[in-house]
């Protein structure tokens, strides 16, 4: 009986450990640092979840249609350390997001910074790109 109980406990621990290991990825495995993106659009959804938060934008393409882009950010804890709250970016807000495009060519990117168009406020998104330095980004580049 003890053997079955130990096997069950180890199986449960193994299952949850595997899910955690699969849940996270390296930046380089998913994003191509040599393909930067900067897109302006309207926030249509925000996921404030672990291990990464996401911003979803509606972005007009060259044909005049709209595409939905997903931007991966840092964890909610990392974002809150940078001044974010759940209410920092309401749905319907126009923003410009700078980041790095997904390797698979999908409409997904790793966000580095988010510029709120109306207030010209730049917030950093907790990028996992190793060579990204928030200090290298101009804090306020809006025109008067």
């Amino acid at each position: 009986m003890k053997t079955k109980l130990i096997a069950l406990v180890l199986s449960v621990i193994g299952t949850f450990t595997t899910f955690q290991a699969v849940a996270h990825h390296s930046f380089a495995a998913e994003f191509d640092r040599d393909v930067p993106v900067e897109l302006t659009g309207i926030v249509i959804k925000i996921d404030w979840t672990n291990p990464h938060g996401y911003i979803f934008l509606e972005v007009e393409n060259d044909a005049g249609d709209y595409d939905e882009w997903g931007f991966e950010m840092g964890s909610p804890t990392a974002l809150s350390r940078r001044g974010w709250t759940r209410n920092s970016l309401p749905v319907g807000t126009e923003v410009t997001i700078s980041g790095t495009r997904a390797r698979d060519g999908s409409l997904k990117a790793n966000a580095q910074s988010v510029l709120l168009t109306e207030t010209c406020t730049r917030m950093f998104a907790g990028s996992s790109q190793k060579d990204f330095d928030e200090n290298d980004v101009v804090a306020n580049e809006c025109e008067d």
Side-chain angles (χ1 to χ4, degrees):
M1 184 68 176
K2 284 184 181 182
T3 305
K4 288 183 180 180
L5 181 60
I6 290 172
L8 176 64
V9 169
L10 290 176
S11 295
V12 170
I13 290 171
T15 300
F16 288 115
T17 304
T18 303
F19 285 134
Q20 180 64 26
V22 172
H24 203 264
H25 54 87
S26 73
F27 174 88
E30 191 164 355
F31 302 101
D32 187 349
R33 69 184 212 132
D34 295 326
V35 184
V37 294
E38 183 173 278
L39 297 169
T40 299
I42 304 298
V43 175
I44 57 174
K45 181 181 172 186
I46 297 180
D47 284 342
W48 191 263
T49 57
N50 278 315
H52 298 283
Y54 279 87
I55 297 174
F56 295 91
L57 289 188
E58 184 177 72
V59 178
E60 188 172 3
N61 62 29
D62 293 336
D65 296 322
Y66 290 90
D67 295 324
E68 183 179 315
W69 277 78
F71 290 88
E72 179 180 289
M73 301 189 304
S75 69
T77 303
L79 293 171
S80 65
R81 288 183 193 139
R82 288 173 170 80
W84 290 81
T85 69
R86 288 180 181 268
N87 302 317
S88 293
L89 203 57
V91 169
T93 303
E94 183 179 74
V95 296
T96 299
I97 301 181
S98 300
T100 304
R101 185 136 189 204
R103 287 190 178 279
D104 65 5
S106 64
L107 302 180
K108 181 179 176 183
N110 179 271
Q112 295 170 341
S113 68
V114 179
L115 179 68
L116 284 70
T117 305
E118 187 176 314
T119 62
C120 197
T121 302
R122 183 174 298 278
M123 299 181 77
F124 293 99
S127 175
S128 57
Q129 184 174 342
K130 289 193 184 303
D131 60 354
F132 176 70
D133 186 354
E134 294 174 3
N135 296 315
D136 291 340
V137 178
V138 176
N140 185 344
E141 55 197 43
C142 295
E143 297 176 17
D144 291 326

